[in-house]
């Protein structure tokens, strides 16, 4: 049986706290890693009022504003699934790529299953930090953005805008992957 071609999608999320069981997913940014690059971004209505001030200070998203202007979670996840269906070539499978993928993936997986009953990514995720460790033989402590700076196109810190971070971390992954 022929294995499906892998199609890498860089994904970043901005939540209201550290886990999807108690906190809300507020924004998703994603991009393809092939040219012409295609992007996806959505801001979502919070599913509850739980938030950690540290999270809000990082991403600057307002629960009140998102409650009024964000998309309901089910609609947002359907749009993300539709976008994946549109950009992933026939016969290929989407592979989730993220900087600290366990964090981002747990929110995306939870929301896909909770609101659509399925996760288009399945159980596939590549963590850029772990990938860097393997490529460079580094320790986990050496996988900070500071140490990945040479692979970061503009040498700037992450913005915590989900789409911009997805684009930037995708560029890091491609740079690492293309190294001999």
């Amino acid at each position: 049986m022929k294995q499906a071609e892998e199609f890498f999608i860089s994904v970043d999320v901005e939540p209201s706290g550290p886990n999807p069981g108690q906190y809300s997913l507020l924004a998703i940014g994603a991009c393809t890693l092939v040219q012409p690059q295609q992007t996806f971004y959505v801001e979502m209505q919070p599913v509850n009022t739980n938030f950690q001030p540290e999270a809000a200070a990082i991403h600057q998203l307002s629960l009140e504003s998102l409650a009024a202007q964000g998309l309901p979670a089910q609609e947002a996840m359907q749009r993300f699934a539709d976008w994946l269906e549109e950009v992933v070539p026939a016969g290929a499978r989407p592979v989730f790529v993220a900087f600290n993928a366990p964090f981002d993936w747990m929110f995306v997986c939870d929301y896909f299953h909770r609101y659509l009953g399925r996760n288009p990514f399945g159980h596939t995720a590549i963590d850029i930090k772990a990938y860097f460790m393997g490529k460079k033989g580094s320790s986990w402590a050496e996988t900070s953005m500071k140490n990945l700076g040479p692979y970061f196109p503009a040498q700037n810190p992450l913005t915590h805008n989900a789409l911009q971070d997805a684009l930037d971390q995708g560029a890091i992954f491609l740079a690492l992957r293309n190294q001999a």
Side-chain angles (χ1 to χ4, degrees):
M1 182 153 122
K2 185 179 175 189
Q3 192 163 357
E5 175 188 349
E6 298 166 335
F7 192 80
F8 299 111
I9 305 285
S10 178
V11 180
D12 187 66
V13 304
E14 297 301 336
S16 65
N19 68 72
Q22 294 175 292
Y23 298 94
S24 297
L25 178 53
L26 303 177
I28 303 170
C31 65
T32 61
L33 299 183
V34 296
Q35 296 301 326
Q37 194 166 49
Q38 297 175 60
T39 63
F40 175 84
Y41 181 75
V42 67
E43 291 183 351
M44 303 162 66
Q45 294 173 349
V47 296
N48 59 43
T49 58
N50 299 341
F51 78 100
Q52 287 192 332
E54 304 85 33
I58 290 171
H59 54 60
Q60 304 291 309
L61 295 170
S62 158
L63 293 184
E64 295 78 21
S65 175
L66 290 172
Q69 299 171 0
L71 291 179
Q74 184 163 359
E75 182 180 346
M77 298 314 292
Q78 186 61 58
R79 285 189 185 188
F80 192 20
D82 292 346
W83 179 80
L84 288 168
E85 182 75 25
E86 179 183 315
V87 300
V88 176
R93 67 179 185 149
V95 177
F96 186 106
V97 176
F99 189 79
N100 198 7
F103 181 81
D104 297 82
W105 188 84
M106 73 176 168
F107 277 93
V108 171
C109 182
D110 178 80
Y111 269 60
F112 267 135
H113 280 286
R114 191 183 324 177
Y115 295 104
L116 300 185
R118 65 184 175 82
N119 180 355
F121 290 105
H123 292 5
T124 61
I126 296 175
D127 178 42
I128 296 169
K129 292 168 68 84
Y131 191 79
F132 182 81
M133 282 180 68
K135 289 280 277 190
K136 300 299 181 183
S138 72
S139 69
W140 184 256
E142 296 171 314
T143 65
S144 69
M145 192 53 78
K146 178 181 97 174
N147 290 324
L148 273 78
Y151 308 98
F152 195 58
Q155 303 265 338
N156 294 321
L158 294 176
T159 63
H160 297 291
N161 169 279
L163 178 55
Q164 188 59 56
D165 287 355
L167 290 162
D168 292 340
Q169 70 190 18
I172 292 169
F173 176 71
L174 288 176
L176 287 168
R177 191 160 184 256
N178 291 334
Q179 284 186 335

